[in-house]
Amino acid sequence: MPGNHRTFLVVFLVFLSAVASAQTTLPKAVGPVPDENQMAWHQMEMNAFIHFSINTFTDKEWGYGDEAPELFNPSELDTEQWVRVLKETGFKGVILTVKHHDGFSLWPTKYSDHSIANSPYKNGNGDIVKELSEACKKYGLKFGIYLSPWDRNHPDYGKPEYISYYRNQLEELFTNYGDVFEMWFDGANGGDGYYGGTNETRTIDKQTYYHWPATLDHVRNMQSDVLFFSDAGPGIRWSGNENGIGGRTNWNTITPDTLYAGKAGIGKLLNTGSPEGTEWIPAEVNTSIRPGWFYHENEDSLVKTPKELLDIYLTSVGRGSTLLLNIPPDQRGIFHENDVKNLRKWRDLLDQEFGKNLALHAEVTAGSHRGNVNTFSPGNVTDGNPETYWTTDNGITTGTLEIDVGKSQSIKYILIQEYIQLGQRVKEFNVEIWNGSEWRTVAEETTIGYKRILKIDPVQADKMRVNITDSKATPVISNVEIY
Ligand code: FUL
């Protein structure tokens, strides 16, 4: 063989082996990816919100800020009852309104008299932030806080001095009660209030008043793992409504530059996110088990039914979001019987609907898989291991997974997960079932994300196909379940 031919052959072989090894290496991440804390948050799936404060005793949703602390007097407060019920029904974390818009603090803050220290509860020696954070530790749930930026009691609200007050309160909360997994800032800010007896209307510039970047840095210096929720993040974004409805198209990415808490008209964008978003800021779906956020006796008959809660589960967790479900303790300081009953029945319903995964260890085939190596084989989506996945060669952005459940069975739900540690990719997919004689399309959807659960009209089938028809890059699917 002449020398130049030999050189060509060697170069060609090196080229071929480079192509082959590129296909057997892990796919590169595409776009923004979740950080470790966000990933842990995705895996929590369901957290509880607890609205409990002076409003519980005045029968209001928004206190004006002039309520006497003496009104706060729960007779049977038991944070362990809250946490036990939440644990039993599948919640992984709890976020408490430690101070709502009325300014009343549930812990004995040094910086204001408008707190539990001046209430009859435990003769002024109570601290509900402590009680709940300890109950969470005991039962293994994560603890989070909602500290309303708006304070209708504080005389300095609207002035620069209030920002120091707000930061001082954050210092107490982030240094005395252990780890805080999520910090919730709501968008309602400014308006009329008591404000130290002036009874006036105070407005603030929502974008600049709180000096958010510096305030968040201040918190990060105390606890670096905390995730900040607000309309636009930076850790977690709002889903744009309070009805429990995550986006049917739901990108975990969004470009936050011009977004801020309380900005009008951004609900739709927050609901769907954007495929080209520059940051990983997933949506949290917050809603209440009752019409209001706080307990009102006249809503005792309006607690959401187990079936309504299942629907909310499907439009939140089932759309790749984390659910934050509010359960407000009553004036006794415990969850009301009706709420507990419906939560438990909802849990039973979830266990019944998602009790047996028909796809677990089922046989799976795909048109192709990356590098033709086992590491990326289609069987990874039914192996019950969230760390393994099926993916394709670079440049291939479509693909079909065919799952054989062995015999004809009734199918009602299909659950699919992307391996989002490598970015969210799938833009469009559909599901077909084999009814014995032909393939029939039962769902046509857009995004998958951390988890997608599709409810279909129950059908008898023995085979199912998930067809990825468009993706930002090679699809990376870690899990498929069938119920
Ligand atoms: C809103 C507040 O105004 C409501 O009272 C409630 O706390 C809800 C979760 O956030 O912004």
Side-chain angles (χ1 to χ4, degrees), residues 49 51 61-62 97 100-101 146 184 186-188 242 286 293-294:
F49 216 178
H51 276 66
E61 278 292 305
W62 281 11
T97 53
H100 202 250
H101 308 329
Y146 168 122
W184 223 87
D186 64 80
E242 293 179 331
N286 68 307
W293 293 102
F294 286 91

Side-chain angles (χ1 to χ4, degrees), residues 244-286:
I245 315 288
R248 186 163 168 183
T249 292
N250 182 11
W251 289 97
N252 288 295
T253 45
I254 203 156
T255 303
D257 320 359
T258 58
L259 301 173
Y260 55 88
K263 184 177 179 177
I266 54 174
K268 167 107 183 40
L269 175 63
L270 295 177
N271 193 244
T272 60
S274 58
E276 307 310 332
T278 55
E279 310 286 328
W280 188 276
I281 306 179
E284 177 182 82
V285 172
N286 68 307

